[in-house]
Amino acid sequence: MTRKARSFEDIPRMADEVAELMAARFGGAPRGERPPLHQMLERRGAALPLRLRAGASRLAEAGRRSAQPKVARQLPLRRLSRDHAALVAHLRPLGALSRWQGRAIGISAALALGLLVLAGVALWIALKRGLI
């Protein structure tokens, strides 16, 4: 939902989307739990670049304030839409499939390194004992 905010009613949805993307990318949310954006910023906000952290905090504050319609109408929708778009653009590129592939590559690289070290140790022992 990277569309532009048309009304103050879109602000909580934008904040929830960013919080969900942060939880998916950085962790910090137990399974089945969907913490609000301000809570995700407390848990994993330091993982965001500084320029995006300010936009995320603005979006989290706007998400809290949007519960009151009179206050929500005064929020800067254009700026919040830009903040949301920047956060989604930063958080979305690594989807679940890419993270899974990255973990699989990391595990296979660790196994390959372990096998190389094991082969080197076996070769060294064989040389020391005069078997080769």
Side-chain angles (χ1 to χ4, degrees):
M1 177 177 136
T2 57
R3 65 183 178 86
K4 194 173 172 182
R6 294 186 181 158
S7 71
F8 67 90
E9 295 164 348
D10 292 337
I11 294 171
R13 285 189 287 258
M14 292 189 310
D16 288 342
E17 182 183 14
V18 171
E20 188 176 316
L21 288 171
M22 281 182 70
R25 179 140 183 204
F26 303 134
R31 287 185 184 220
E33 185 181 325
R34 294 179 65 177
L37 182 57
H38 66 89
Q39 195 172 35
M40 283 305 300
L41 284 174
E42 290 171 7
R43 292 179 183 174
R44 298 285 190 243
L48 286 172
L50 192 59
R51 64 182 174 81
L52 291 177
R53 207 174 308 159
S57 63
R58 277 192 300 270
L59 192 59
E61 185 62 30
R64 282 192 219 162
R65 290 183 178 189
S66 65
Q68 300 173 359
K70 285 185 180 181
V71 175
R73 286 188 200 107
Q74 299 172 7
L75 294 173
L77 289 178
R78 190 172 291 159
R79 185 172 190 175
L80 293 171
S81 292
R82 277 193 309 245
D83 291 339
H84 173 258
L87 285 161
V88 168
H90 177 76
L91 293 170
R92 195 167 270 167
L94 287 180
L97 181 62
S98 296
R99 283 192 302 276
W100 183 84
Q101 286 175 340
R103 277 188 233 123
I105 289 171
I107 290 170
S108 53
L111 285 173
L113 179 65
L115 289 173
L116 280 173
V117 169
L118 183 64
V121 169
L123 185 62
W124 181 75
I125 289 173
L127 282 174
K128 286 295 182 183
R129 292 189 176 179
L131 299 174
I132 295 180

